[in-house]
Amino acid sequence: MGGDFAPANIISGGINALKESNNRFQIIFVGKEESILEIINKLPHENLDYQIVNASEVIEMQDSPTAALKQKKDSSITVGLQLVKDKKADAFISAGNTGAVMSASTIILGRIEGVSRPTIGTFFPTEKGKCLLLDAGANVDSKPQHLLEFAMMGSIFTSYILGYQNPTVGLLNIGEESSKGNEIALETYKLLKESSLNFIGNIEGRDILKGKANIVVCDGFVGNILLKFAESILSLMKFKFKNYASQSFFKKLWVGLIYGTLKSVLKDIDYQEHGGVPLLGVNGVTIIGHGGSTPKAIKNMIFRAEEMVQKDINSHIQSKMKNLK
Amino acid sequence: MGGDFAPANIISGGINALKESNNRFQIIFVGKEESILEIINKLPHENLDYQIVNASEVIEMQDSPTAALKQKKDSSITVGLQLVKDKKADAFISAGNTGAVMSASTIILGRIEGVSRPTIGTFFPTEKGKCLLLDAGANVDSKPQHLLEFAMMGSIFTSYILGYQNPTVGLLNIGEESSKGNEIALETYKLLKESSLNFIGNIEGRDILKGKANIVVCDGFVGNILLKFAESILSLMKFKFKNYASQSFFKKLWVGLIYGTLKSVLKDIDYQEHGGVPLLGVNGVTIIGHGGSTPKAIKNMIFRAEEMVQKDINSHIQSKMKNLK
C-alpha cells in the first residue's frame, strides 16, 4: 500500500515478476484486500503464484514513522514484516514511507549480531558503473565504528550482488589528505585504514560521479542531503528547458526534437529508473524503493530480493561482523 | 599568481575591468613582476590605472595551506592581503588556493568583532534566482552559534549585494520538521527560530535548486561536499554525451547540433560561469574565485569587490554581530 502509485504499480510489478520468472517464487501482496483484488482483476493473472494477506491500515508517505508505527498496528508495513519474522516470507519489499520501513524492520526483524546500526544505501550513477553510497539517511550522528560497519556491509553487498571484485571503499570528505575533515572523518579514516576493506582513502564530492570508489561511506546526514540534492537536478534541468521552450515557437519545436535524446542519454541519471536499495544489517531481507517506483522498478526490487535471499547476504554480513569486533 | 590559468586570466580580467569602468578604481597586480609584465605587454593597456607589486613566491593549488603560508612568506596571497591590512588596497581578489586565501585572510586581516569564524559561501542556481549556501568549506565541526553567525552574515550580504528584500534563511537538514536532524541541527534550529532572521525552517537537499530559501545554512563539511558534487554534474553529463556521440556518425552529428542549445540552456548551472564568492567575517574584503576562473569571472569579482567596499558590508556585519551576542 506504500508509495505514490500504490497499490497499482506495486501489484503490476509483482505480477510481471511472476510472469517473467515463471512463478520461480510466490508473491504475497499485503494490504487492503479489496483494493488489491480490484487491481489484480484488471490484470491477466491466471496461473500465477500469489496470495493476498489483508492489512487494514496504510502508513502514508507523509506520516511520522514513529507515530504511525504506534498508531497503525495493522499497516501493510507491519504485517508484511511480521510475515518475514514468522518465516512465512523470505523478503519484504516496499515503496512506502522509508522511515517507517526502516524503523519497523529494525524493531520487528531485529539487528544481525554484531551490527550496531542497520544502514540504507543508495546508488549513484558514475562514469564507471554505479556506486553504493551509505548511509543515505537511516543514521545521523554516526560514530566511526558505525561508518566502518556501513563500509563492511556495503562491501559485502556490492561483491555478492553487484559482482564487484574486492570493491573499493572511499570515505566522503572535504579533502584527499588523511588530515582533512571533521573529527568523525579523521577517526573513521584510521579505522578504515586498519580494516581488511579495500580502502582507497578520502574522496571528495566531485569524485562520486567520476566513479572513484565503488562504495562511498558517510554519515546519513550528509548522505541524505546529497541523495535528495542529486534527485532534484533533473527537475532543475527540466525547468530550464521549459523556460527555453517557452521563448518561441521554434525553440519549443527544437526542445521537442532533442528531448528524446536527452532522456535516453541521461536515463541512468534519473533516480526514478533505479530499483530499490536494501536495508543492510537487519535479520531479514528488506528492500526499499522510491515512492514513485514504476512497475518495472518494483519488478527489479523483487528480483533483487530473491538474489539477496539466495546468496544469503545476511549470513555473510554476520560472519564478517563477528570478525570486525 | 593563483589559479589554473594564472597570471594570464587574472590580468586579462583586471585589464578588462579597468577598461569597462573607465579607471573607476586602481588595480594592483601582485605577483612575479616579470610574468605580469609579459602578459600585460601583450594586451592593450595604455591609460589604464594599474600598478604592479612584486611577490617572489607562488602558493600552488595543491599546496597544503598551513605549510605553504609558513614556507612561502613572499607569496602573492600574503603580499596582496598585507596591502589590504596596510590600507594600501581596499580589497583582495584571488583565484588561487582557497584554503590558503581563507587562512591568510583570517590571520592577516583578522576577524570582525563579534565573528567567531569567518565563512565562505557559494552560489547555487535555483528555479528562483541564485541562493547563497554557507558554509561551503571554511569550517567543519561548526557549533550552532557559528551557524547562526553564518546565516546572519549571509543575510547581510544577500540583502546589500544581491538586493534580496528580507532574505529567507533555510537550515539544511534531512527533514522539514523541527525534530529532524543531527544534534547540531536541532540546536541550530532553535537559535535561528529565536533570531531576527527571516528563518523559514528546515529545508532538504531537494529544496536547494527549487529556490526554497535565499540563504542555505549548513556546516562546511556538508556544504563543501555538496558544492564539489554539484560542480561535477556537468562532467558526468558531458561524459554521457561523449559516449552517446561515439556510438555512430549520425549520433555524433546530432550531439554536435544540440550541444549549443544544451550549453545555453544550462549556462547558469555551470559553476565556471559564476564569479567569486566573498569570505565573510574578516576585517577587509576578500573575494575568492574558482581555480578555473575566466577573465570574465575575474572582472566580475573585481566589480563585486568594489560593491562590497562601497556598500561597506563589513560595518553592517559588525553592527549586527554586536546585537547577536
Side-chain angles (χ1 to χ4, degrees), chain A residues 240-248 251 254-255, chain B residues 261 264-265:
Chain A
K240 294 274 172 203
F241 273 99
K242 228 172 155 180
N243 262 3
Y244 179 82
S246 72
Q247 287 166 12
S248 76
K251 284 181 175 172
W254 179 235
V255 167
Chain B
T261 309
S264 82
V265 173

Side-chain angles (χ1 to χ4, degrees), chain B residues 91-283:
Chain B
F92 176 73
I93 286 146
S94 174
N97 185 313
T98 305
V101 176
M102 289 191 301
S103 301
S105 296
T106 307
I107 296 166
I108 297 172
L109 304 177
R111 286 172 288 144
I112 294 174
E113 205 190 322
V115 173
S116 316
R117 293 186 179 188
T119 178
I120 186 161
T122 186
F123 297 113
F124 277 84
T126 83
E127 293 183 13
K128 298 171 186 163
K130 58 186 168 187
C131 80
L132 179 68
L133 177 142
L134 29 74
D135 183 271
N139 302 284
V140 296
D141 291 321
S142 309
K143 303 259 180 318
Q145 172 70 23
H146 302 146
L147 293 170
L148 172 65
E149 292 179 12
F150 302 162
M152 188 58 86
M153 291 191 270
S155 185
I156 293 165
F157 178 82
T158 52
S159 28
Y160 286 96
I161 300 293
L162 302 187
Y164 290 178
Q165 301 285 323
N166 198 19
T168 51
V169 174
L171 176 62
L172 192 56
N173 205 330
I174 60 168
E176 286 185 6
E177 307 86 342
S178 63
S179 60
K180 284 290 176 88
N182 57 17
E183 283 177 32
I184 299 292
L186 292 172
E187 281 181 57
T188 307
Y189 187 96
K190 288 181 212 156
L191 286 185
L192 287 168
K193 192 87 191 163
E194 288 160 8
S195 76
S196 60
L197 292 161
N198 186 7
F199 179 54
I200 58 163
N202 290 329
I203 65 165
E204 299 186 68
R206 68 168 70 94
D207 300 323
I208 300 173
L209 301 180
K210 287 207 163 48
K212 210 162 171 184
N214 299 135
I215 296 149
V216 177
V217 182
C218 61
D219 175 54
F221 190 80
V222 181
N224 188 265
I225 288 171
L226 206 51
L227 161 65
K228 288 177 181 161
F229 179 80
E231 284 183 345
S232 75
I233 292 162
L234 282 193
S235 304
L236 179 67
M237 284 179 53
K238 277 180 198 159
F239 175 84
K240 293 273 171 202
F241 273 99
K242 230 173 153 178
N243 262 3
Y244 179 82
S246 72
Q247 288 167 12
S248 76
F249 179 69
F250 172 76
K251 283 181 176 172
K252 196 169 183 169
L253 271 182
W254 179 234
V255 167
L257 272 176
I258 68 180
Y259 196 73
T261 309
L262 287 177
K263 231 182 145 173
S264 82
V265 173
L266 301 179
K267 199 178 64 175
D268 77 344
I269 300 186
D270 192 343
Y271 286 76
Q272 308 249 7
E273 293 275 330
H274 287 275
V277 289
L279 178 67
L280 296 171
V282 292
N283 255 323

Side-chain angles (χ1 to χ4, degrees), chain A residues 71-218:
Chain A
Q71 287 153 17
K72 300 176 177 174
K73 300 265 180 204
D74 198 41
S75 73
S76 52
I77 292 175
T78 309
V79 173
L81 282 164
Q82 195 61 46
L83 290 173
V84 177
K85 173 75 180 173
D86 297 341
K87 311 271 181 215
K88 290 176 186 158
D90 290 307
F92 177 71
I93 286 147
S94 174
N97 185 313
T98 304
V101 176
M102 289 191 301
S103 302
S105 297
T106 308
I107 296 165
I108 297 173
L109 304 178
R111 286 173 287 143
I112 293 175
E113 206 191 322
V115 173
S116 316
R117 293 184 178 190
T119 178
I120 186 162
T122 186
F123 298 113
F124 277 85
T126 84
E127 293 184 13
K128 299 172 186 163
K130 57 187 168 187
C131 79
L132 179 68
L133 177 142
L134 27 74
D135 182 269
N139 301 285
V140 296
D141 291 320
S142 308
K143 303 259 181 316
Q145 172 70 24
H146 302 146
L147 293 170
L148 172 64
E149 291 179 12
F150 301 163
M152 188 57 87
M153 290 191 271
S155 184
I156 293 164
F157 178 82
T158 52
S159 28
Y160 286 95
I161 300 292
L162 301 187
Y164 291 177
Q165 301 285 323
N166 199 17
T168 51
V169 174
L171 176 63
L172 193 56
N173 205 330
I174 61 169
E176 286 185 6
E177 306 87 341
S178 62
S179 61
K180 284 289 175 89
N182 57 17
E183 282 177 34
I184 299 292
L186 292 172
E187 281 180 59
T188 307
Y189 187 96
K190 287 181 213 157
L191 286 186
L192 287 169
K193 191 89 192 161
E194 289 161 9
S195 75
S196 61
L197 292 160
N198 187 6
F199 179 52
I200 58 163
N202 290 328
I203 65 164
E204 299 186 69
R206 67 168 70 93
D207 300 323
I208 300 173
L209 301 180
K210 286 206 164 47
K212 210 164 170 183
N214 299 136
I215 297 149
V216 178
V217 181
C218 61

Side-chain angles (χ1 to χ4, degrees), chain B residues 45-115:
Chain B
H45 60 276
E46 308 228 320
N47 304 318
L48 293 181
D49 189 8
Y50 67 87
Q51 53 164 306
I52 297 169
V53 167
N54 189 56
S56 62
E57 289 170 304
V58 176
I59 294 180
E60 306 291 346
M61 299 303 272
Q62 66 280 10
D63 281 352
S64 145
T66 331
L69 290 174
K70 265 187 204 157
Q71 286 152 16
K72 300 177 176 174
K73 300 265 181 204
D74 198 41
S75 74
S76 52
I77 292 175
T78 309
V79 173
L81 283 164
Q82 195 60 46
L83 290 172
V84 176
K85 172 75 179 171
D86 297 341
K87 310 273 181 213
K88 289 176 185 158
D90 290 308
F92 176 73
I93 286 146
S94 174
N97 185 313
T98 305
V101 176
M102 289 191 301
S103 301
S105 296
T106 307
I107 296 166
I108 297 172
L109 304 177
R111 286 172 288 144
I112 294 174
E113 205 190 322
V115 173

Side-chain angles (χ1 to χ4, degrees), chain A residues 156 306-317:
Chain A
I156 293 164
E306 182 195 21
E307 206 182 348
M308 283 187 69
V309 171
Q310 280 176 342
K311 293 188 174 163
D312 203 2
I313 295 303
N314 285 346
S315 74
H316 293 292
I317 290 179

Side-chain angles (χ1 to χ4, degrees), chain A residues 10-76:
Chain A
I10 318 294
I11 296 169
S12 300
I15 294 290
N16 292 343
L18 288 174
K19 271 193 220 153
E20 202 172 308
S21 71
N22 271 322
N23 292 322
R24 200 165 55 210
F25 36 73
Q26 185 191 62
I27 291 182
I28 310 174
F29 292 115
V30 184
K32 295 189 174 176
E33 195 163 5
E34 255 176 69
S35 316
I36 295 172
L37 278 173
E38 199 185 317
I39 307 271
I40 288 188
N41 287 332
K42 284 183 198 157
L43 300 165
H45 60 276
E46 308 228 319
N47 303 319
L48 293 181
D49 188 9
Y50 67 87
Q51 53 164 304
I52 298 170
V53 166
N54 190 56
S56 62
E57 288 171 301
V58 176
I59 294 179
E60 306 290 347
M61 298 304 271
Q62 65 280 8
D63 281 351
S64 146
T66 332
L69 290 174
K70 265 187 206 157
Q71 287 153 17
K72 300 176 177 174
K73 300 265 180 204
D74 198 41
S75 73
S76 52

